[in-house]
Amino acid sequence: MGAVADAARALAEAEPVPFWTAGAARPDPGPVLTGRRTCDLAVVGGGYGGLWTALRAKERDPSLDVVVLEAGRIGSAASGRNGGFCSASLTHGLLNGVGRWPDDMEALERLGWENLQAIAATLTRYGVDAEWDATGQLTVATREWQVPLLEEEAEHAFDLGWEPMLLGRDGVRAEVGSPAYLAGLWDRHAVALVHPAKLAWGLADACRSLGVRIYEGTRVTGLRRDGGRLRLDGAHGAVGAHRVALATGAFPPLLRRMRGLVVPVYEYALVTEPLSRAQRDAVGWRRRQGVVDSGNRYHYARLTADGRIVWGGYDAVYHFGGRIGARLERRPAAFAALARNFFDTFPQLDGVRFAHAWGGVVDTCTRFCAFFGTAHDDRLAYAAGYTGLGVGATRFGADVMLDLLSVGLRPGEETERTRLAMVRDAPVPFPPEPLRYGAIALTRRALARADRRDGRRGPWLRALDRVGAGFGS
């Protein structure tokens, strides 16, 4: 009962709202769409994917009239609730990419690095203060069976031109002081940390500075042809557009063909109160790397600008029928498990309290990274399925959608991006309900069992691996 009681005490005063959007810096809401409008490009979704699409469209062709339609507030969904890990990886990690598209990995890693550098340059160009911190990422082993996985990843990284540091027990604990950490792989260049909500708000401001019209509180309820345009209907207005980009993430897609390819999964996070000087010294962490462990049910951790620890991951919950709602963002059992695991990882921080505890929904597909496609005679493009690693990859996804829509290109012109197998392939679809719920629940149990059995994947996980729907961290 001690660990349970300690977790309950630590969570007793935690506000059930995302830390990132709780401050006074949150901008006022934008206007709601009313009446009839027309535009060259309509973007559905005001998260990272939609904002990058609008911004990149205007950078490619400043004459375009671009509209963004956001159902809620900018930064209110996944873009304001994530851990703020902006990664160069486009494939949800090297091992996932190498396992799926080995022939394209050199190009994918180069494009991912160029994408990360372009994000940094964009923030500078538009004066976006997203608390960009190019710390790199430390991937840690918390069980002996995970150490060879780090060694394998290091080999692939060196083959592809990266130069990560492989750390043993003493080396990893010298970076971040946890008795749970047995080894580490520190990629010093391929990840930056950001303030997620400030990134979304700053991208919205950059879009507006180029003339993009952003409507908040405007849920799109219908998509149909209307003469030579595609019409997007909302509760109080409609937009007719020559081209449309769908960047709705985990929310119900407007295209039927996407409904079996992406599911909404809830993840949860905590943030501590600011650490004292003694507590910071007890943990070390002087280089402020983002930290991710190597379990199938993995945790991520990072420091904030004001000296707190963000601690998230581990639980991933799918609700029958793909239900989404504010009530599902609060899951006491998930918060309690995170708190217990936090103190197991950092026992020297016993007594620290959590200031915020929240959940959010992410768009998940069976290959863990984004998929792409077109509809309506290539006048509509979509990208979805980032599976929690979309802070950086959404900019790449935006460029893919604009390539598919021939924005700034000749009609039908291919690019290096659109020639990638990753862009041309589709993920294995999820089965319909009730099989979908059962399959996801079975997979969650199998992953937890694999973590307890030194990473050994049982018959169900091996079957998923064979059909290209293997789940892992």
Side-chain angles (χ1 to χ4, degrees):
M1 284 297 293
V4 174
D6 289 345
R9 283 195 296 270
L11 289 164
E13 298 179 6
E15 293 185 54
V17 294
F19 167 70
W20 308 113
T21 56
R26 186 174 190 175
D28 294 333
V32 175
L33 173 70
T34 58
R36 293 289 300 272
R37 301 285 189 273
T38 61
C39 64
D40 297 314
L41 173 67
V43 181
V44 185
Y48 297 142
L51 295 170
W52 277 120
T53 303
L55 185 65
R56 292 292 297 132
K58 291 292 284 185
E59 289 179 336
R60 289 185 180 204
D61 184 351
S63 70
L64 285 179
D65 182 14
V66 180
V67 167
V68 174
L69 304 173
E70 163 56 35
R73 296 277 304 277
I74 298 295
S76 64
S79 296
R81 296 169 181 269
N82 61 83
F85 285 61
C86 190
S87 173
S89 178
L90 305 175
T91 60
H92 211 288
L94 272 178
L95 297 184
N96 188 52
V98 168
R100 298 183 187 279
W101 305 290
D103 295 339
D104 282 351
M105 278 307 293
E106 184 174 342
L108 284 165
E109 289 298 291
R110 174 177 50 78
L111 289 168
W113 171 247
E114 292 171 357
N115 183 65
L116 184 67
Q117 296 302 103
I119 292 172
T122 299
L123 301 188
T124 299
R125 184 163 64 252
Y126 292 100
V128 175
D129 179 14
E131 299 179 8
W132 182 268
D133 194 1
T135 61
Q137 177 173 296
L138 182 64
T139 305
V140 299
T142 58
R143 299 288 187 273
E144 289 293 346
W145 65 267
Q146 298 166 5
V147 176
L149 295 179
L150 296 184
E151 295 169 349
E152 180 185 357
E153 185 168 348
E155 291 179 9
H156 287 300
F158 277 111
D159 289 343
L160 292 167
W162 299 101
E163 296 181 352
M165 293 180 63
L166 193 60
L167 305 173
R169 184 188 303 252
D170 292 341
V172 70
R173 293 180 184 178
E175 294 297 328
V176 182
S178 169
Y181 295 164
L182 306 180
L185 184 65
W186 181 17
D187 190 329
R188 293 166 290 173
H189 305 293
V191 174
L193 300 179
V194 298
H195 185 298
K198 286 185 178 180
L199 175 59
W201 299 334
L203 289 176
D205 286 342
C207 287
R208 293 186 184 103
S209 75
L210 298 183
V212 174
R213 291 176 285 163
I214 299 178
Y215 296 100
E216 298 183 62
T218 302
R219 184 178 302 279
V220 177
T221 56
L223 166 67
R224 59 189 172 92
R225 293 177 182 268
D226 186 7
R229 299 176 185 268
L230 295 176
R231 174 169 165 163
L232 298 162
D233 291 310
H236 304 290
V239 171
H242 291 296
R243 287 173 282 192
V244 171
L246 296 185
T248 51
F251 292 88
L254 293 169
L255 284 180
R256 184 180 300 275
R257 72 178 65 175
M258 295 178 65
R259 294 176 188 173
L261 299 178
V262 62
V263 299
V265 173
Y266 277 87
E267 293 188 350
Y268 300 90
L270 310 173
V271 67
T272 69
E273 61 193 355
L275 301 185
S276 68
R277 181 61 178 268
Q279 289 167 334
R280 293 198 301 270
D281 289 345
V283 177
W285 214 341
R286 291 177 178 81
R287 294 191 246 220
R288 302 179 59 83
Q289 307 98 319
V291 177
V292 179
D293 72 49
S294 302
N296 289 303
R297 302 176 73 189
Y298 66 93
H299 302 89
Y300 64 82
R302 59 160 294 185
L303 296 170
T304 65
D306 63 347
R308 305 167 188 262
I309 297 177
V310 178
W311 177 257
Y314 190 67
D315 220 358
V317 181
Y318 172 75
H319 296 278
F320 186 86
R323 284 189 296 126
I324 295 175
R327 184 178 61 84
L328 303 179
E329 297 165 6
R330 302 179 183 182
R331 187 176 173 86
F335 298 147
L338 278 173
R340 291 194 298 271
N341 295 346
F342 176 89
F343 290 116
D344 286 344
T345 303
F346 299 114
Q348 68 270 49
L349 296 182
D350 182 39
V352 165
R353 300 297 184 99
F354 295 105
H356 296 265
W358 70 94
V361 63
V362 299
D363 54 330
T364 300
C365 69
T366 57
R367 72 185 198 185
F368 299 108
C369 55
F371 62 89
F372 312 91
T374 63
H376 291 286
D377 301 322
D378 295 336
R379 289 189 294 159
L380 180 147
Y382 56 84
Y386 291 96
T387 317
L389 207 67
V391 179
T394 44
R395 183 188 178 279
F396 173 83
D399 270 325
V400 171
M401 285 194 287
L402 295 173
D403 288 352
L404 295 172
L405 293 171
S406 299
V407 174
L409 304 171
R410 297 186 303 274
E413 180 181 350
E414 287 191 343
T415 67
E416 183 180 18
R417 285 180 288 264
T418 59
R419 286 191 291 269
L420 292 168
M422 174 189 174
V423 171
R424 294 179 176 272
D425 294 346
V428 176
F430 292 94
E433 297 288 18
L435 294 177
R436 177 179 302 181
Y437 180 82
I440 294 174
L442 180 58
T443 301
R444 290 183 65 216
R445 290 194 294 271
L447 289 171
R449 188 180 305 114
D451 280 338
R452 295 192 300 269
R453 299 175 60 206
D454 295 333
R456 294 192 298 275
R457 297 170 75 81
W460 176 250
L461 294 181
R462 292 199 300 271
L464 292 178
D465 292 339
R466 284 194 294 272
V467 300
F471 285 72
S473 62

